[in-house]
Amino acid sequence: MPTRTARTAWNGGLQDGSGQVELTSSKVGTYDVSFPKRAADDAGGTTSPEELIAAAHSSCYAMQLSALLAEAGGTPQSLDVTADVSLGPDPAGGFRLTGITLTVRGEVDGLDADGFAKAADAAKAGCPVSKALTGVEITLDAALES
């Protein structure tokens, strides 16, 4: 499997500086980052490590869940996955990720709600990004839609 790369160029200090993160491997874009906007309610057109982790987690989880649904005999028609990643103070100092909530709604032929829930839980545990984030509490809200 390939290695993927992102690069950040940063200028200045934490509070007055800013940077740009480049998705180097895919070349799909370069995005502004800044700590004040990272910590603000309104991101103001900038991204953050938490948003990038949320993107990685939601896409990885969707892939893992689609594979597990098929293994369980289902045919995924659509999966809508959201990852909410929270940043907060670390009791040891600085900041830390304080939690991740995965929300998935799925349309799947051939599985009932229990089968979907079982696959959803297994995907939460088995997706590589979930495995990488074991130091963060990950909660799941999964429901099958008709």
Side-chain angles (χ1 to χ4, degrees):
M1 299 295 281
T3 298
R4 301 294 185 213
T5 304
R7 175 185 166 272
T8 299
W10 185 268
N11 296 300
L14 178 64
Q15 293 297 332
D16 65 345
S18 64
Q20 291 190 319
V21 60
E22 170 190 82
L23 304 182
T24 310
S25 299
S26 63
K27 298 178 178 36
V28 297
T30 300
Y31 304 94
D32 293 334
V33 291
S34 95
F35 183 78
K37 290 186 179 180
R38 177 185 186 184
D41 287 334
D42 180 4
T46 67
T47 192
S48 66
E50 294 73 37
E51 184 176 41
L52 295 169
I53 289 168
H57 204 178
S58 66
S59 60
C60 183
Y61 178 84
M63 291 178 204
Q64 184 72 35
L65 180 55
S66 68
L68 294 177
L69 290 168
E71 285 178 17
T75 304
Q77 297 302 315
S78 68
L79 298 173
D80 187 337
V81 180
T82 302
D84 296 309
V85 177
S86 300
L87 178 71
D90 185 340
F95 297 93
R96 67 192 268 302
L97 298 183
T98 56
I100 299 171
T101 300
L102 291 170
T103 304
V104 59
R105 298 296 179 262
E107 292 182 29
V108 180
D109 296 335
L111 281 183
D112 62 10
D114 287 341
F116 181 79
K118 189 174 184 179
D121 277 337
K124 182 184 117 183
C127 122
V129 172
S130 290
K131 291 177 183 179
L133 297 170
T134 57
V136 181
E137 181 183 1
I138 301 171
T139 58
L140 176 64
D141 173 5
L144 188 60
E145 297 184 333
S146 51

